[in-house]
Amino acid sequence: MAWTNGEKSKKEGLVLKAVPVKGNDAMITALGKDGFFSFYARGAKKMGSKSFACCSELSYSSFVFSSSSTGKLTLSEGDGIEYLFSSDALEQSFCCMGLQEIALKLFHEPEEDTPIETLEYLLQALRAIKKGISPLNATIVALAGFLRLAGIGLEVGECVNCGKKKDIVTISYLDGGFLCRDCAEEIGSVKTPVEQLKILRFAFACSPSDLPRCQSWRSSDARPLLTGLLDHLENQTGIACKSLRMMLQAQ
Ligand SMILES: [Zn+2]
């Protein structure tokens, strides 16, 4: 191994935050297979420096660190493996930024253990967006995954009120899941188009590797669903995703 020196360590991760400090340096927060890690990177904000590309937000990179006596990590060398920010279209950029923002607010700021699948959902969604899959659809699947991992997923297997599996007619974000015809009529809620119920069922049950299968959903179905999922996120956690709200309001 190239880093047999006891003071060096190596990690791979997706950069989610690069905060400038002291001119061209930056504090980097990245998500790796074992959760979040942070480190100091000299020259990371200077175009053309050797740490610039690997420390850019939404770069998946490998890093070699040296630790200081206080145990803080400092980057000694890094390599960008995959750059996952898509900016060909406005919707792509907003969705990339939105997922980045939600992953940080939902899993980093609480300082609890980050569920292992978080990174996989992010990588698969960002790769799908890069490949030209609808950014809205990819974002719905990743967001549903995030909500489930955070323990606030919607009940999409049965009526959240009475447990009935048949005759599901609507999604109630306020109640936290599907409602059957009887329960929906009781509270006077409006029916949700069948196609949208199917999408939600898929999004909350699939694994990150199923993500490319979201390709065929229509944007007229995706928009209200993304709005609903953001409402649910906000109601449950107080987290408001500015970039995605801005995108949905603009169109
Ligand atoms: Zn019911």
Side-chain angles (χ1 to χ4, degrees):
M1 292 191 291
W3 60 94
T4 44
N5 181 335
E7 290 165 15
K8 299 226 165 163
S9 58
K10 194 176 177 182
K11 270 179 191 286
E12 277 187 9
L14 179 68
V15 175
L16 289 181
K17 198 158 74 171
V19 181
V21 265
K22 286 194 239 164
N24 289 321
D25 298 353
M27 266 314 288
I28 308 294
T29 302
L31 178 60
K33 287 194 177 74
D34 306 318
F36 283 94
F37 56 96
S38 296
F39 59 90
Y40 192 84
R42 286 195 184 87
K45 287 289 176 186
K46 190 179 176 194
M47 282 267 239
S49 81
K50 55 183 182 66
S51 56
F52 180 78
C54 68
C55 290
S56 296
E57 291 183 6
L58 297 186
S59 268
Y60 186 80
S61 309
S62 70
F63 306 104
V64 178
F65 304 112
S66 53
S67 323
S68 70
S69 51
T70 56
K72 286 192 176 138
L73 298 175
T74 301
L75 184 69
S76 35
E77 51 187 291
D79 256 320
I81 298 170
E82 199 177 354
Y83 185 55
L84 288 159
F85 181 64
S86 308
S87 56
D88 293 344
L90 218 52
E91 206 170 71
Q92 286 187 325
S93 315
F94 277 117
C95 285
C96 291
M97 289 187 286
L99 289 172
Q100 177 185 359
E101 189 184 339
I102 294 171
L104 277 168
K105 286 183 176 165
L106 196 55
F107 298 111
H108 180 55
E109 286 168 15
E111 290 191 357
E112 284 166 21
D113 285 347
T114 312
I116 240 156
E117 274 180 302
T118 309
L119 176 64
E120 204 48 36
Y121 268 113
L122 259 178
L123 291 177
Q124 293 284 0
L126 294 170
R127 281 178 191 142
I129 292 171
K130 193 138 225 186
K131 273 189 203 150
I133 284 180
S134 152
L136 275 182
N137 299 359
T139 300
I140 287 174
V141 179
L143 183 52
F146 286 173
L147 293 170
R148 189 174 55 77
L149 293 174
I152 47 172
L154 295 166
E155 174 57 73
V156 295
E158 56 187 38
C159 172
V160 72
N161 196 31
C162 72
K164 200 155 88 176
K165 287 196 164 48
K166 284 185 180 163
D167 218 13
I168 297 295
V169 295
T170 193
I171 171 72
S172 164
Y173 296 100
L174 219 54
D175 293 291
F178 284 177
L179 290 177
C180 71
R181 189 180 306 275
D182 294 339
C183 294
E185 271 169 16
E186 213 167 285
I187 60 166
S189 68
V190 187
K191 276 190 190 174
T192 305
V194 176
E195 190 54 36
Q196 292 180 21
L197 294 176
K198 277 189 199 160
I199 292 174
L200 283 176
R201 202 172 279 134
F202 175 86
F204 278 95
C206 75
S207 69
S209 58
D210 294 323
L211 203 140
R213 287 169 52 197
C214 70
Q215 208 161 358
S216 60
W217 305 340
R218 290 176 312 185
S219 127
S220 54
D221 286 319
R223 294 191 156 276
L225 290 178
L226 187 54
T227 305
L229 292 177
L230 290 173
D231 289 344
H232 181 65
L233 173 72
E234 207 167 328
N235 289 339
Q236 294 287 320
T237 64
I239 294 171
C241 180
K242 286 180 215 130
S243 34
L244 290 176
R245 289 287 191 193
M246 222 191 307
M247 177 191 79
L248 290 165
Q249 276 159 14
Q251 286 156 338

